[in-house]
Amino acid sequence: MTSKQLPPNLHPDTLAVRTAVERSQYGEHGEALYLTSSFVQPDAETAARRFAGEEDGYTYTRVGNPTVSSMELRLAALEGTEAAIATSSGMAAILLLGMGLLRTGDHIICSHSVFGSTIRLFSGEFAKFGIETSYVSQTDVAAWKAALRPNTKLLFAETPTNPLTDVCDIQALADVAHAAGALLAVDNCFCSPALQQPKRFGADFIIHSGTKYLDGQGRVMAGAICCDQRWVDEVFLPITRTAGMVLAPFNAWVVLKGMETLGIRMQAQSERALAVALWLEAHPKVARVYYPGLASHPQHELAMRQQSASGRGLGGAVLSFDVVGADAAAQRANAFAVIDAAQVSSITTNLGDTKTTISHPASTSHGRLSEAQRQAAGIGQGLIRLAVGLEHVDDLTTDLARGLDLLN
Ligand SMILES: *Cc1c(COP(=O)(O)O)cnc(C)c1O
C-alpha cells in the first residue's frame, strides 16, 4: 500500500479528507474497506516474525486492520494527538481507559453529570474490582481539588454535559490532575474535534463515541481513545488485541468517511442550534434555555474560547429547554405535549445525527435516577432536549411551535 506524503500545517478541513488515504495496488480513489478477519502471510518465516511482533504487517483483525488504522490516524489528526485507538463503542473506549490505567485500590474523580452509562460503568462495574469513584460538580474546580486522594489516578469530565450543557474549564482540571500526579480524560463526544480539541488544554486522553458526530448519520457504533503514542503501544493495544473490544472494519470505514464532512456538519448544525435556541428564548411558553452559544449561558465565554477549534466559538448542536408549568406534573404534561406534537423531529435519545432528535431526559436517559438525584442534577420534569440536525431552521421552529403554542 502507498500513501501520499502530505505537506505540513494543513487545516482540519483538509486533514479530514486527506489524512490516512492508503491506496492498494489498484489505486482506488475512495478509501478501501478491508473486510477480512485475517491476512495471508507470504511465507512461514514472515508469519513467525509478524506474530512475534518483530516485523510490521497485518495478521488478524483483532490485532490490527488497515481500515481501522486509517480511521485511527484520521481521528488523531483531527484531535491533534499523536495517536488514537479505536474500539467497538464509546463505552468500550471508557472500559479500555479504565482497564489500562487503573488497579485495585485506585480512585477516580468524575463529574456527576457525565453520560449515564459512564456512571454505571464506574460505580457498578469498576467498583467490583475495588476501584472507587467520587462525583463532583462539573463546574466547581475547588470541588475536584477537594476530592483528590493519594490514590487518585484519573479525573474524568465531559463538556458540555448532557442535557444541561454545563461547560467545564479543561485547562483548570488538567492543572488539578497533573499537580496531583493524576491524569485527565475528557469525553469530547458533544463537540467533536471540529469544535473542541481537549489536548490543547492539557487533557491526557480524549474519549469518543464515534456513534455520534464522527459517523454523523446514526449508522454505526464506534469509539476511540486519542492520546500519546506510547499509551497506545504500551497500555491500550496489549489490552484490545487480547480482550477484543476492537472496532469492526465496516464500522471503521463508515466513521472514516463520516469524518470527511465533520467540519461542515458541526458548523451547520451549530448555526441551526443557535437559531433555534434564540427562537426558544423569546417564546413565552419557554421558561429557560440551556445552550453554550447563548450569551445567557453561565459559561458562555469559556465555551466560546474552548470550542473554537474551527477558528470561532461555536455552541455545538445540543440544547435543552424548560417549558412552563405550575408544578412538576404540569411541566411533565406540557413537555410531553410539545414532544408529541413534533412532526419533523424524531422522538429518540440519540444525538449526533443529521436528523433532529427530541427527548424528555427525566423519563428516558435520566429516568433511572431517583427524584433527589435528578433534582441535584437540575433535570426537571419540564426539560426537553433537542439535538439539532441539518433540517431547515424554520421547519424546526415550526415543529416546536406546534406544541408550545398550545400550552397554557
Ligand atoms: C453516547 C455517548 C457515550 C457512549 O457511546 P456509545 O458509542 O453509545 O457506547 C459516551 N459518552 C457520551 C457523552 C455519549 O453521548
Side-chain angles (χ1 to χ4, degrees):
M1 284 199 306
T2 55
S3 63
K4 208 159 94 172
Q5 187 71 34
L6 291 172
N9 304 321
L10 295 174
H11 294 83
D13 284 351
T14 309
L15 294 173
V17 294
R18 291 290 174 183
T19 311
V21 181
E22 304 278 349
R23 298 212 162 89
S24 76
Q25 71 211 72
Y26 300 115
E28 68 280 353
H29 194 212
E31 291 79 346
L33 164 54
Y34 291 93
L35 203 56
T36 180
S37 50
S38 71
F39 298 83
V40 176
Q41 306 302 310
D43 51 64
E45 271 302 326
T46 309
R49 283 196 304 276
R50 287 181 180 171
F51 275 83
E54 293 162 8
E55 180 184 308
D56 284 345
Y58 293 105
T59 55
Y60 190 59
T61 283
R62 174 155 44 73
V63 181
N65 175 286
T67 306
V68 177
S69 299
S70 293
M71 178 269 178
E72 292 168 335
L73 286 169
R74 189 169 285 178
L75 178 59
L78 294 182
E79 278 292 0
T81 56
E82 286 176 8
I85 183 159
T87 54
S88 53
S89 69
M91 289 318 301
I94 302 175
L95 171 65
L96 175 62
L97 181 78
M99 286 179 75
L101 299 185
L102 304 171
R103 303 286 178 275
T104 298
D106 285 347
H107 175 241
I108 306 172
I109 308 175
C110 183
S111 152
H112 60 47
S113 39
V114 295
F115 191 62
S117 297
T118 305
I119 293 180
R120 283 192 288 278
L121 180 66
F122 289 174
S123 292
E125 306 305 322
F126 287 6
K128 287 186 204 161
F129 300 94
I131 293 160
E132 219 186 314
T133 305
S134 303
Y135 296 94
V136 296
S137 158
Q138 169 88 346
T139 52
D140 184 353
V141 178
W144 291 79
K145 216 181 260 177
L148 283 169
R149 299 179 192 169
N151 57 341
T152 304
K153 289 284 163 60
L154 178 66
L155 275 61
F156 192 100
E158 182 185 312
T159 182
T161 59
N162 179 26
L164 293 176
T165 74
D166 286 337
V167 174
C168 73
D169 186 333
I170 299 171
Q171 184 70 61
L173 295 187
D175 292 346
V176 170
H178 297 157
L183 297 159
L184 174 67
V186 174
D187 184 330
N188 200 26
C189 189
F190 270 53
C191 279
S192 89
L195 266 56
Q196 174 172 278
Q197 294 170 307
K199 170 84 184 163
R200 287 203 298 165
F201 307 103
D204 301 287
F205 304 99
I206 296 103
I207 302 292
H208 275 289
S209 166
T211 317
K212 312 294 168 52
Y213 293 103
L214 301 184
D215 168 6
Q217 293 175 60
R219 299 167 293 193
V220 298
M221 309 223 53
I225 304 175
C226 302
C227 54
D228 289 349
Q229 187 72 48
R230 69 187 170 97
W231 289 109
V232 171
D233 294 344
E234 294 164 25
V235 176
F236 299 130
L237 202 55
I239 297 173
T240 54
R241 63 191 292 167
T242 309
M245 64 283 258
V246 293
L247 184 59
F250 178 77
N251 292 8
W253 182 82
V254 170
V255 173
L256 179 71
K257 299 303 285 178
M259 281 190 279
E260 295 186 353
T261 54
L262 179 66
I264 55 169
R265 279 189 282 110
M266 292 310 291
Q267 173 94 29
Q269 290 179 232
S270 294
E271 284 165 6
R272 283 161 174 73
L274 176 60
V276 172
L278 288 166
W279 180 88
L280 284 166
E281 224 175 21
H283 198 286
K285 299 295 162 60
V286 173
R288 182 166 171 194
V289 184
Y290 307 82
Y291 180 65
L294 289 176
S296 60
H297 189 280
Q299 297 101 31
H300 173 65
E301 276 171 25
L302 171 64
M304 292 302 97
R305 188 154 40 80
Q306 243 169 217
Q307 301 176 193
S308 61
S310 66
R312 70 188 180 88
L314 291 170
V318 180
L319 62 92
S320 292
F321 59 100
D322 284 316
V323 294
V324 296
D327 54 24
Q331 289 161 10
R332 183 183 173 100
N334 282 348
F336 278 27
V338 171
I339 291 168
D340 288 340
Q343 295 172 6
V344 174
S345 297
S346 319
I347 306 177
T348 168
T349 55
N350 194 27
L351 64 100
D353 205 317
T354 47
K355 297 177 174 71
T356 296
T357 65
I358 189 165
S359 64
H360 182 250
S363 62
T364 58
S365 53
H366 296 70
R368 289 202 214 166
L369 300 182
S370 69
E371 190 54 38
Q373 281 174 316
R374 258 199 306 276
Q375 266 171 18
I379 298 164
Q381 292 293 339
L383 189 74
I384 293 175
R385 193 198 72 186
L386 209 62
V388 177
L390 282 177
E391 299 93 340
H392 194 285
V393 172
D394 294 349
D395 294 332
L396 294 176
T397 51
T398 304
D399 209 37
L400 293 166
R402 261 188 268 281
L404 283 171
D405 290 347
L406 298 178
L407 301 185
N408 47 46

